[in-house]
Amino acid sequence: MTALEVLLVLATGFGAGILSSTVGVASLLSFPVLVALGLPPVVANVSNTLGMIPGGLGGVLGYRQEVREGGRVATVIVVVCAVGAVLGAALLLGLPPGVFEAIVPFLILFTCLLVGVQPRIATWLRERHARRHGEQRAERVHMSPLTTVFATITGVYGGYFGAGAGVMMVAVLGLGTDLELRVVNGLKTLSLMVGNIVAGLIFVVVADPRWDVAAVLAAGSLVGGYVGARIGRKLPDAVFRWAVVAAGVVAALLLF
């Protein structure tokens, strides 16, 4: 790489790290830049996945308080996203190209809708429970079996395709638990980090990354992931929620 390309990849890693820790759509920035630099799509995908692992580590470090508050949910997220990423990578290697791509934009748009209306759905569920049982429902601080299934499916999707996986995890945890949105954001960042680590290890075996590109991207994403977490922790819930929706809509439109 030339000095200018190194600076571009470094800046891209920084920006993608911020996006990963806030709205969860880092690859919308980093992958196109790597392709524009002349990397073949498969090499760009592998290099991007490896380069974003430190971004996830930086993000989780920045959200360490929120991840601790997640308690058992954080442990479940690590397990289901690791298993899901393996299954997703197996699907990527075993299925013909383009099997799911046609429905992905619609899936992302649907999850954006869920993220946007989640407060109203949660209020409706609480009121419905109170009318039926005459008491307030206890806060859901653990993942139900159904929520765990959907989180695993999100992990599979992340290992297979990935774009918008962070938006989906926010929707799953936002609807399936009563955790604060800042905690959900921290757990979303944790899920993306786990998925990148597992997928990255698999991709290293089946494809040849550009290690120089991945290393420079990693340096930028590590700092960007931490900075993004500090930003994400201070965002008001409404601002964060609609930022996630906007990012998801952009992702869906770019994938049509």
Side-chain angles (χ1 to χ4, degrees):
M1 289 190 293
T2 66
L4 184 59
E5 288 173 338
V6 169
L7 289 175
L8 176 60
V9 174
L10 189 65
T12 298
F14 179 74
I18 290 177
L19 289 177
S20 177
S21 294
T22 50
V23 294
V25 290
S27 293
L28 290 182
L29 171 63
S30 53
F31 180 75
V33 170
L34 298 188
V35 172
L37 288 175
L39 273 66
V42 173
V43 176
N45 184 35
V46 175
S47 304
N48 178 64
T49 300
L50 292 171
M52 289 310 300
I53 290 174
L57 293 171
V60 170
L61 178 62
Y63 280 120
R64 57 191 180 278
Q65 177 180 333
E66 284 72 17
V67 171
R68 282 197 297 266
E69 289 181 39
R72 287 177 53 191
V73 175
T75 303
V76 174
I77 287 294
V78 169
V79 174
V80 301
C81 286
V83 173
V86 172
L87 295 175
L91 288 175
L92 179 65
L93 298 174
L95 292 177
V99 170
F100 293 133
E101 279 83 343
I103 66 170
V104 164
F106 299 100
L107 183 61
I108 293 176
L109 288 175
F110 177 67
T111 56
C112 286
L113 174 64
L114 292 180
V115 171
V117 303
Q118 184 267 330
R120 295 186 179 183
I121 294 176
T123 299
W124 176 77
L125 288 174
R126 283 194 295 268
E127 292 175 349
R128 183 169 177 265
H129 179 88
R131 287 196 301 270
R132 283 190 172 187
H133 303 282
E135 59 182 13
Q136 286 294 107
R137 185 187 61 183
E139 285 196 350
R140 299 169 299 165
V141 294
H142 302 297
M143 293 170 64
S144 68
L146 183 61
T147 302
T148 303
V149 168
F150 279 112
T152 305
I153 293 172
T154 302
V156 173
Y157 169 76
Y160 177 82
F161 198 73
V167 177
M168 294 181 186
M169 189 58 76
V170 170
V172 169
L173 294 178
L175 290 171
T177 72
D178 293 322
L179 296 171
E180 292 183 45
L181 200 52
R182 62 180 179 82
V183 176
V184 168
N185 200 13
L187 295 174
K188 174 266 297 176
T189 303
L190 176 67
S191 74
L192 294 177
M193 181 197 72
V194 172
N196 278 338
I197 290 175
V198 173
L201 291 174
I202 294 173
F203 290 156
V204 164
V205 176
V206 300
D208 295 320
R210 274 282 301 272
W211 288 107
D212 56 341
V213 173
V216 176
L217 189 69
S221 73
L222 176 62
V223 179
Y226 184 81
V227 171
R230 310 312 291 178
I231 295 172
R233 294 183 70 193
K234 296 179 180 179
L235 284 177
D237 284 1
V239 174
F240 168 69
R241 187 181 306 281
W242 291 110
V244 170
V245 171
V249 170
V250 171
L253 293 176
L254 290 176
L255 292 171
F256 269 115

